[in-house]
Amino acid sequence: MAIHLPLNKLSQWQQVAFCAALLERMLPNYQMFAEHVEFGDYKVLRNQLDLIWQWLDKANRCKINYDAQITKLEEQVPDPDAFDFLGVFPALDSAMALMSLFQAMQDPESDGFINVSKLSENSVSYYVELSLAQQIDEITPEEDEIVIEPQQIAEHPLMQWEVATQNELFDFLSSASENKASCVKAKAMVLEEGLSNLGIEINA
């Protein structure tokens, strides 16, 4: 199940708000990874996302030095080959999604906004496939090769929640006023369950 939202029909502000809200659901995955392996500074990513929310507040819009922020972020990107911990992949997706958003804010014609949507979906898809494979392995450990069908991933509650969240967010922002109140509402929508997009509890 691939999410295909016509993000290019939204204004730049709406697209940035959409991506920032998705990142609120992704960053806890990075936080869990960083705490588990003692790599990366979660606060850097958290502060950068807060900076983007400030940029979205047109009444008090801040200026962002994109090159400086991207350089700072590059130091926090984990190398999957360096960690024997599956949480590295959702953490990598989180960092790359933030990177894509910064790049898209500089160049709105790029695929950066769509990439954030895809990276969030990919994190969930990967996690669901892993969970399903683990379940099958526990039931039938003698199986040599475990094959997970795309339909199984699509029907998983986490993937259905991801699709529903992205659609709900898109529908809301497509007609939302471009102000701080809309940001507050968008953030509240995605954090309502108190869980990341992988179902991990968010530490306040």
Side-chain angles (χ1 to χ4, degrees), residues 128-141:
V128 166
E129 189 171 355
L130 213 61
S131 303
L132 291 171
Q134 205 170 357
Q135 286 169 17
I136 293 168
D137 189 46
E138 284 169 6
I139 299 163
T140 54

Side-chain angles (χ1 to χ4, degrees), residues 32-33 78-93 126:
M32 183 201 70
F33 164 78
D79 174 4
D81 295 332
F83 300 97
D84 185 24
F85 177 54
L86 296 169
V88 68
F89 294 103
L92 177 63
D93 288 340
Y126 162 80

Side-chain angles (χ1 to χ4, degrees), residues 29-146:
N29 304 329
Y30 187 97
Q31 184 179 17
M32 183 201 70
F33 164 78
E35 288 172 357
H36 188 84
V37 301
E38 295 183 352
F39 168 88
D41 187 350
Y42 164 73
K43 284 181 185 170
V44 171
L45 281 74
R46 179 67 262 173
N47 291 341
Q48 289 183 331
L49 184 52
D50 289 342
L51 197 61
I52 290 167
W53 285 116
Q54 286 171 34
W55 181 91
L56 285 161
D57 180 5
K58 286 182 168 181
N60 300 291
R61 173 162 284 180
C62 64
K63 283 190 175 180
I64 297 177
N65 181 333
Y66 294 105
D67 292 340
Q69 293 301 333
I70 288 169
T71 300
K72 208 184 291 183
L73 181 56
E74 281 170 348
E75 295 169 8
Q76 314 303 323
V77 178
D79 174 4
D81 295 332
F83 300 97
D84 185 24
F85 177 54
L86 296 169
V88 68
F89 294 103
L92 177 63
D93 288 340
S94 304
M96 295 315 294
L98 193 49
M99 189 89 71
S100 288
L101 180 49
F102 276 135
Q103 288 163 349
M105 288 169 78
Q106 280 183 290
D107 178 15
E109 298 303 310
S110 71
D111 290 335
F113 295 124
I114 292 166
N115 286 344
V116 176
S117 169
K118 285 180 179 174
L119 284 162
S120 182
E121 181 191 0
N122 287 349
S123 285
V124 179
S125 176
Y126 162 80
Y127 182 77
V128 166
E129 189 171 355
L130 213 61
S131 303
L132 291 171
Q134 205 170 357
Q135 286 169 17
I136 293 168
D137 189 46
E138 284 169 6
I139 299 163
T140 54
E142 67 279 357
E143 288 286 328
D144 288 338
E145 190 182 349
I146 296 170

Side-chain angles (χ1 to χ4, degrees), residues 6-18 55-56 58 108 113 170 173-178:
L7 293 182
N8 58 350
K9 290 187 177 176
L10 301 181
S11 70
Q12 185 194 9
W13 186 95
Q14 290 167 335
Q15 290 183 82
V16 173
F18 176 84
W55 181 91
L56 285 161
K58 286 182 168 181
F113 295 124
F170 178 86
L173 286 167
S174 59
S175 59
S177 302
E178 299 186 2

